[in-house]
Short mmCIF file of all heavy atoms in Angstrom, two decimals:
data_model
loop_
_atom_site.label_atom_id
_atom_site.label_comp_id
_atom_site.label_asym_id
_atom_site.label_seq_id
_atom_site.Cartn_x
_atom_site.Cartn_y
_atom_site.Cartn_z
N TYR V 1 38.33 10.88 33.74
CA TYR V 1 38.63 9.57 33.16
C TYR V 1 40.02 9.54 32.51
O TYR V 1 40.51 10.55 32.01
CB TYR V 1 37.57 9.20 32.13
CG TYR V 1 36.19 9.14 32.74
CD1 TYR V 1 35.29 10.18 32.55
CD2 TYR V 1 35.80 8.07 33.54
CE1 TYR V 1 34.03 10.15 33.13
CE2 TYR V 1 34.55 8.03 34.12
CZ TYR V 1 33.67 9.07 33.91
OH TYR V 1 32.43 9.03 34.49
N ASP V 2 40.62 8.38 32.51
CA ASP V 2 41.93 8.15 31.92
C ASP V 2 41.76 7.93 30.42
O ASP V 2 41.12 6.96 30.01
CB ASP V 2 42.56 6.92 32.57
CG ASP V 2 43.95 6.61 32.06
OD1 ASP V 2 44.29 7.00 30.93
OD2 ASP V 2 44.70 5.96 32.80
N PRO V 3 42.32 8.80 29.58
CA PRO V 3 42.13 8.64 28.14
C PRO V 3 42.82 7.40 27.57
O PRO V 3 42.50 6.96 26.47
CB PRO V 3 42.72 9.92 27.54
CG PRO V 3 43.65 10.43 28.58
CD PRO V 3 43.10 9.99 29.90
N PHE V 4 43.73 6.80 28.32
CA PHE V 4 44.38 5.56 27.89
C PHE V 4 43.52 4.34 28.23
O PHE V 4 43.29 3.49 27.39
CB PHE V 4 45.75 5.39 28.55
CG PHE V 4 46.77 6.41 28.14
CD1 PHE V 4 47.12 7.44 28.99
CD2 PHE V 4 47.39 6.33 26.91
CE1 PHE V 4 48.08 8.37 28.64
CE2 PHE V 4 48.34 7.26 26.53
CZ PHE V 4 48.68 8.29 27.39
N GLU V 5 43.08 4.27 29.48
CA GLU V 5 42.41 3.07 29.99
C GLU V 5 40.88 3.16 29.97
O GLU V 5 40.21 2.13 30.01
CB GLU V 5 42.88 2.77 31.41
CG GLU V 5 44.38 2.57 31.54
CD GLU V 5 44.90 1.36 30.78
OE1 GLU V 5 44.15 0.37 30.66
OE2 GLU V 5 46.04 1.43 30.31
N GLN V 6 40.35 4.36 29.97
CA GLN V 6 38.90 4.55 30.03
C GLN V 6 38.44 5.44 28.88
O GLN V 6 37.66 6.37 29.07
CB GLN V 6 38.51 5.19 31.36
CG GLN V 6 38.92 4.40 32.58
CD GLN V 6 38.75 5.21 33.85
OE1 GLN V 6 39.34 6.26 34.00
NE2 GLN V 6 37.92 4.70 34.75
N PHE V 7 38.87 5.12 27.67
CA PHE V 7 38.66 6.03 26.55
C PHE V 7 37.18 6.33 26.30
O PHE V 7 36.82 7.49 26.08
CB PHE V 7 39.31 5.52 25.26
CG PHE V 7 39.12 6.49 24.12
CD1 PHE V 7 39.90 7.61 24.03
CD2 PHE V 7 38.11 6.28 23.18
CE1 PHE V 7 39.70 8.54 23.01
CE2 PHE V 7 37.91 7.20 22.16
CZ PHE V 7 38.71 8.33 22.07
N THR V 8 36.32 5.34 26.31
CA THR V 8 34.91 5.58 26.01
C THR V 8 34.30 6.56 27.00
O THR V 8 33.64 7.53 26.60
CB THR V 8 34.12 4.26 25.99
OG1 THR V 8 34.69 3.40 25.00
CG2 THR V 8 32.65 4.50 25.66
N SER V 9 34.51 6.34 28.29
CA SER V 9 34.00 7.26 29.30
C SER V 9 34.65 8.63 29.16
O SER V 9 33.98 9.68 29.28
CB SER V 9 34.26 6.71 30.71
OG SER V 9 33.56 5.52 30.91
N TRP V 10 35.96 8.65 28.90
CA TRP V 10 36.67 9.91 28.70
C TRP V 10 36.06 10.68 27.53
O TRP V 10 35.76 11.87 27.63
CB TRP V 10 38.16 9.64 28.45
CG TRP V 10 38.92 10.88 28.13
CD1 TRP V 10 39.54 11.72 29.02
CD2 TRP V 10 39.10 11.47 26.84
NE1 TRP V 10 40.08 12.78 28.36
CE2 TRP V 10 39.83 12.65 27.01
CE3 TRP V 10 38.71 11.11 25.56
CZ2 TRP V 10 40.18 13.48 25.95
CZ3 TRP V 10 39.06 11.94 24.50
CH2 TRP V 10 39.79 13.11 24.71
N PHE V 11 35.84 9.98 26.41
CA PHE V 11 35.31 10.60 25.19
C PHE V 11 33.89 11.15 25.42
O PHE V 11 33.58 12.27 25.02
CB PHE V 11 35.32 9.58 24.05
CG PHE V 11 34.82 10.12 22.75
CD1 PHE V 11 35.61 10.92 21.96
CD2 PHE V 11 33.53 9.83 22.32
CE1 PHE V 11 35.14 11.43 20.75
CE2 PHE V 11 33.05 10.33 21.13
CZ PHE V 11 33.85 11.13 20.34
N LEU V 12 33.04 10.35 26.06
CA LEU V 12 31.66 10.79 26.30
C LEU V 12 31.62 12.04 27.19
O LEU V 12 30.86 12.97 26.93
CB LEU V 12 30.85 9.66 26.91
CG LEU V 12 30.57 8.48 25.98
CD1 LEU V 12 29.90 7.34 26.75
CD2 LEU V 12 29.73 8.90 24.78
N PHE V 13 32.46 12.07 28.22
CA PHE V 13 32.55 13.25 29.08
C PHE V 13 33.01 14.46 28.27
O PHE V 13 32.44 15.55 28.37
CB PHE V 13 33.53 12.98 30.24
CG PHE V 13 33.70 14.13 31.18
CD1 PHE V 13 32.91 14.24 32.31
CD2 PHE V 13 34.65 15.11 30.94
CE1 PHE V 13 33.06 15.30 33.20
CE2 PHE V 13 34.81 16.18 31.81
CZ PHE V 13 34.01 16.28 32.94
N ASP V 14 34.03 14.27 27.45
CA ASP V 14 34.61 15.34 26.64
C ASP V 14 33.58 15.93 25.68
O ASP V 14 33.45 17.15 25.58
CB ASP V 14 35.81 14.78 25.88
CG ASP V 14 36.58 15.85 25.14
OD1 ASP V 14 37.32 16.60 25.80
OD2 ASP V 14 36.44 15.92 23.90
N VAL V 15 32.85 15.07 25.00
CA VAL V 15 31.85 15.54 24.03
C VAL V 15 30.69 16.22 24.75
O VAL V 15 30.19 17.25 24.31
CB VAL V 15 31.38 14.37 23.14
CG1 VAL V 15 30.19 14.78 22.28
CG2 VAL V 15 32.52 13.88 22.27
N GLU V 16 30.27 15.64 25.87
CA GLU V 16 29.16 16.22 26.64
C GLU V 16 29.47 17.64 27.09
O GLU V 16 28.60 18.51 27.11
CB GLU V 16 28.86 15.34 27.86
CG GLU V 16 27.71 15.86 28.71
CD GLU V 16 27.46 14.96 29.90
OE1 GLU V 16 26.99 13.84 29.72
OE2 GLU V 16 27.77 15.41 31.03
N LYS V 17 30.72 17.89 27.44
CA LYS V 17 31.15 19.22 27.88
C LYS V 17 31.37 20.18 26.71
O LYS V 17 31.61 21.37 26.90
CB LYS V 17 32.44 19.13 28.70
CG LYS V 17 32.27 18.44 30.03
CD LYS V 17 31.49 19.30 30.97
CE LYS V 17 31.46 18.67 32.35
NZ LYS V 17 30.79 19.50 33.32
N GLY V 18 31.32 19.65 25.47
CA GLY V 18 31.49 20.49 24.29
C GLY V 18 32.93 20.77 23.91
O GLY V 18 33.19 21.66 23.09
N TYR V 19 33.87 20.03 24.49
CA TYR V 19 35.28 20.27 24.17
C TYR V 19 35.67 19.72 22.79
O TYR V 19 36.46 20.33 22.08
CB TYR V 19 36.20 19.65 25.22
CG TYR V 19 36.05 20.22 26.61
CD1 TYR V 19 35.91 19.38 27.70
CD2 TYR V 19 36.07 21.59 26.84
CE1 TYR V 19 35.79 19.88 28.99
CE2 TYR V 19 35.94 22.11 28.12
CZ TYR V 19 35.80 21.24 29.19
OH TYR V 19 35.68 21.74 30.45
N ASP V 20 35.18 18.55 22.45
CA ASP V 20 35.52 17.88 21.19
C ASP V 20 37.02 17.83 20.97
O ASP V 20 37.54 18.18 19.91
CB ASP V 20 34.80 18.56 20.01
CG ASP V 20 33.29 18.42 20.12
OD1 ASP V 20 32.82 17.30 20.41
OD2 ASP V 20 32.58 19.42 19.94
N THR V 21 37.73 17.40 22.00
CA THR V 21 39.18 17.38 22.01
C THR V 21 39.76 16.53 20.88
O THR V 21 40.74 16.93 20.25
CB THR V 21 39.68 16.89 23.38
OG1 THR V 21 39.20 17.79 24.39
CG2 THR V 21 41.19 16.83 23.44
N CYS V 22 39.16 15.38 20.60
CA CYS V 22 39.67 14.52 19.53
C CYS V 22 39.62 15.23 18.18
O CYS V 22 40.56 15.16 17.39
CB CYS V 22 38.90 13.20 19.47
SG CYS V 22 39.24 12.10 20.85
N SER V 23 38.52 15.90 17.91
CA SER V 23 38.38 16.63 16.65
C SER V 23 39.39 17.77 16.56
O SER V 23 40.00 17.99 15.51
CB SER V 23 36.97 17.18 16.50
OG SER V 23 36.04 16.14 16.43
N TYR V 24 39.55 18.49 17.67
CA TYR V 24 40.50 19.60 17.72
C TYR V 24 41.92 19.09 17.45
O TYR V 24 42.64 19.63 16.60
CB TYR V 24 40.40 20.28 19.07
CG TYR V 24 41.26 21.52 19.26
CD1 TYR V 24 41.66 22.31 18.20
CD2 TYR V 24 41.64 21.90 20.53
CE1 TYR V 24 42.43 23.44 18.39
CE2 TYR V 24 42.41 23.03 20.75
CZ TYR V 24 42.80 23.80 19.67
OH TYR V 24 43.57 24.91 19.87
N LEU V 25 42.30 18.03 18.14
CA LEU V 25 43.64 17.46 17.93
C LEU V 25 43.80 16.97 16.50
O LEU V 25 44.85 17.15 15.88
CB LEU V 25 43.88 16.32 18.93
CG LEU V 25 45.25 15.65 18.86
CD1 LEU V 25 46.38 16.65 19.07
CD2 LEU V 25 45.32 14.53 19.89
N GLY V 26 42.75 16.38 15.95
CA GLY V 26 42.79 15.90 14.56
C GLY V 26 43.01 17.02 13.55
O GLY V 26 43.61 16.80 12.49
N ARG V 27 42.53 18.21 13.86
CA ARG V 27 42.74 19.34 12.96
C ARG V 27 44.16 19.88 13.04
O ARG V 27 44.68 20.43 12.07
CB ARG V 27 41.75 20.46 13.27
CG ARG V 27 40.32 20.12 12.88
CD ARG V 27 39.39 21.32 12.95
NE ARG V 27 39.37 22.00 14.24
CZ ARG V 27 38.59 21.68 15.27
NH1 ARG V 27 37.77 20.65 15.16
NH2 ARG V 27 38.63 22.37 16.39
N ILE V 28 44.80 19.74 14.19
CA ILE V 28 46.14 20.30 14.40
C ILE V 28 47.25 19.32 14.02
O ILE V 28 48.26 19.69 13.42
CB ILE V 28 46.31 20.77 15.86
CG1 ILE V 28 45.21 21.77 16.25
CG2 ILE V 28 47.69 21.35 16.10
CD1 ILE V 28 45.17 23.03 15.42
N ALA V 29 47.08 18.06 14.38
CA ALA V 29 48.11 17.04 14.12
C ALA V 29 48.10 16.64 12.65
O ALA V 29 47.05 16.31 12.09
CB ALA V 29 47.87 15.82 15.00
N LYS V 30 49.26 16.66 12.06
CA LYS V 30 49.40 16.28 10.64
C LYS V 30 49.94 14.86 10.56
O LYS V 30 51.10 14.64 10.21
CB LYS V 30 50.30 17.29 9.94
CG LYS V 30 49.68 18.67 9.87
CD LYS V 30 50.71 19.72 9.49
CE LYS V 30 50.11 21.10 9.41
NZ LYS V 30 49.49 21.58 10.62
N THR V 31 49.08 13.91 10.90
CA THR V 31 49.46 12.50 10.87
C THR V 31 49.08 11.90 9.52
O THR V 31 48.30 12.48 8.77
CB THR V 31 48.78 11.72 12.01
OG1 THR V 31 47.36 11.86 11.87
CG2 THR V 31 49.22 12.22 13.37
N SER V 32 49.63 10.72 9.23
CA SER V 32 49.38 10.08 7.95
C SER V 32 49.61 8.59 8.05
O SER V 32 50.45 8.13 8.83
CB SER V 32 50.33 10.67 6.89
OG SER V 32 50.25 9.94 5.69
N ASP V 33 48.88 7.84 7.25
CA ASP V 33 49.10 6.40 7.14
C ASP V 33 50.47 6.10 6.54
O ASP V 33 50.98 4.99 6.67
CB ASP V 33 48.02 5.73 6.29
CG ASP V 33 46.67 5.73 6.98
OD1 ASP V 33 46.63 5.85 8.22
OD2 ASP V 33 45.65 5.61 6.26
N GLN V 34 51.05 7.08 5.87
CA GLN V 34 52.36 6.90 5.26
C GLN V 34 53.50 7.04 6.26
O GLN V 34 54.63 6.69 5.97
CB GLN V 34 52.55 7.88 4.11
CG GLN V 34 51.57 7.64 2.98
CD GLN V 34 51.71 8.65 1.86
OE1 GLN V 34 52.48 9.60 1.95
NE2 GLN V 34 50.98 8.43 0.79
N PHE V 35 53.21 7.58 7.44
CA PHE V 35 54.22 7.72 8.48
C PHE V 35 54.27 6.47 9.34
O PHE V 35 53.29 5.74 9.45
CB PHE V 35 53.91 8.91 9.40
CG PHE V 35 53.95 10.26 8.72
CD1 PHE V 35 53.25 11.33 9.25
CD2 PHE V 35 54.67 10.48 7.56
CE1 PHE V 35 53.27 12.57 8.66
CE2 PHE V 35 54.70 11.72 6.95
CZ PHE V 35 54.00 12.76 7.50
N SER V 36 55.39 6.26 9.99
CA SER V 36 55.50 5.16 10.94
C SER V 36 54.71 5.50 12.19
O SER V 36 54.34 6.67 12.42
CB SER V 36 56.96 4.91 11.31
OG SER V 36 57.45 5.99 12.09
N GLU V 37 54.46 4.51 13.03
CA GLU V 37 53.75 4.76 14.29
C GLU V 37 54.53 5.75 15.15
O GLU V 37 53.94 6.65 15.77
CB GLU V 37 53.55 3.45 15.04
CG GLU V 37 52.77 3.60 16.33
CD GLU V 37 52.53 2.29 17.04
OE1 GLU V 37 52.81 1.21 16.48
OE2 GLU V 37 52.05 2.35 18.19
N GLU V 38 55.85 5.61 15.16
CA GLU V 38 56.69 6.52 15.93
C GLU V 38 56.58 7.96 15.41
O GLU V 38 56.47 8.91 16.19
CB GLU V 38 58.15 6.06 15.90
CG GLU V 38 59.06 6.92 16.74
CD GLU V 38 60.51 6.43 16.74
OE1 GLU V 38 60.75 5.25 16.41
OE2 GLU V 38 61.38 7.24 17.07
N GLU V 39 56.59 8.12 14.09
CA GLU V 39 56.47 9.46 13.50
C GLU V 39 55.11 10.08 13.82
O GLU V 39 55.02 11.27 14.14
CB GLU V 39 56.67 9.41 11.99
CG GLU V 39 58.09 9.12 11.57
CD GLU V 39 58.23 8.84 10.08
OE1 GLU V 39 57.36 8.15 9.50
OE2 GLU V 39 59.22 9.33 9.50
N ASN V 40 54.05 9.27 13.75
CA ASN V 40 52.72 9.77 14.09
C ASN V 40 52.63 10.14 15.56
O ASN V 40 52.01 11.14 15.91
CB ASN V 40 51.64 8.76 13.71
CG ASN V 40 51.29 8.83 12.24
OD1 ASN V 40 51.25 9.89 11.65
ND2 ASN V 40 51.03 7.68 11.65
N ASN V 41 53.24 9.35 16.43
CA ASN V 41 53.26 9.67 17.86
C ASN V 41 53.99 10.98 18.12
O ASN V 41 53.55 11.80 18.94
CB ASN V 41 53.88 8.53 18.67
CG ASN V 41 52.98 7.34 18.80
OD1 ASN V 41 51.76 7.42 18.61
ND2 ASN V 41 53.55 6.19 19.13
N GLU V 42 55.12 11.18 17.44
CA GLU V 42 55.87 12.43 17.58
C GLU V 42 55.06 13.63 17.11
O GLU V 42 55.06 14.69 17.74
CB GLU V 42 57.19 12.35 16.82
CG GLU V 42 58.21 11.43 17.45
CD GLU V 42 59.45 11.23 16.59
OE1 GLU V 42 59.57 11.89 15.53
OE2 GLU V 42 60.30 10.42 16.98
N GLU V 43 54.36 13.46 15.99
CA GLU V 43 53.53 14.55 15.47
C GLU V 43 52.36 14.84 16.39
O GLU V 43 52.00 15.99 16.61
CB GLU V 43 53.04 14.21 14.06
CG GLU V 43 52.04 15.20 13.49
CD GLU V 43 52.50 16.64 13.46
OE1 GLU V 43 53.72 16.92 13.54
OE2 GLU V 43 51.63 17.53 13.36
N THR V 44 51.77 13.80 16.95
CA THR V 44 50.67 13.99 17.89
C THR V 44 51.15 14.74 19.12
O THR V 44 50.48 15.68 19.58
CB THR V 44 50.05 12.63 18.28
OG1 THR V 44 49.52 12.01 17.11
CG2 THR V 44 48.95 12.79 19.31
N GLU V 45 52.30 14.40 19.64
CA GLU V 45 52.84 15.12 20.79
C GLU V 45 53.15 16.57 20.44
O GLU V 45 52.88 17.48 21.23
CB GLU V 45 54.08 14.44 21.36
CG GLU V 45 54.58 15.13 22.62
CD GLU V 45 55.65 14.37 23.37
OE1 GLU V 45 56.16 13.35 22.87
OE2 GLU V 45 55.99 14.81 24.49
N ARG V 46 53.67 16.80 19.26
CA ARG V 46 53.95 18.18 18.83
C ARG V 46 52.65 18.98 18.80
O ARG V 46 52.58 20.12 19.28
CB ARG V 46 54.60 18.19 17.44
CG ARG V 46 54.97 19.61 16.97
CD ARG V 46 54.93 19.77 15.46
NE ARG V 46 53.65 19.50 14.88
CZ ARG V 46 52.61 20.38 14.85
NH1 ARG V 46 52.72 21.56 15.42
NH2 ARG V 46 51.48 20.06 14.25
N ALA V 47 51.59 18.38 18.25
CA ALA V 47 50.30 19.06 18.16
C ALA V 47 49.72 19.32 19.55
O ALA V 47 49.16 20.40 19.80
CB ALA V 47 49.34 18.24 17.31
N ILE V 48 49.84 18.36 20.45
CA ILE V 48 49.38 18.54 21.82
C ILE V 48 50.11 19.71 22.47
O ILE V 48 49.49 20.57 23.11
CB ILE V 48 49.56 17.24 22.63
CG1 ILE V 48 48.55 16.19 22.17
CG2 ILE V 48 49.43 17.51 24.14
CD1 ILE V 48 48.79 14.80 22.73
#
């Protein structure tokens, strides 16, 4: 599944397989509401 266009199906597949990719990325990426969208995108890419 496409994580951009088919997120729900992508997420359900991911969790079913035990990857928990969203949680893993959330632990690594140091994003914040205080950052701009661009800064958060850059940090997310760095974490990926």
Side-chain angles (χ1 to χ4, degrees):
Y1 301 102
D2 182 335
F4 294 105
E5 302 297 328
Q6 301 169 301
F7 182 78
T8 301
S9 296
W10 175 90
F11 181 79
L12 292 173
F13 180 92
D14 187 76
V15 171
E16 181 181 290
K17 292 289 187 176
Y19 297 132
D20 296 314
T21 300
C22 289
S23 297
Y24 184 26
L25 181 58
R27 290 191 305 273
I28 304 300
K30 294 166 179 58
T31 58
S32 171
D33 291 338
Q34 296 178 355
F35 296 156
S36 69
E37 183 178 351
E38 183 178 340
E39 290 170 320
N40 279 323
N41 286 341
E42 289 173 5
E43 173 55 19
T44 298
E45 184 170 8
R46 183 210 60 80
I48 289 170

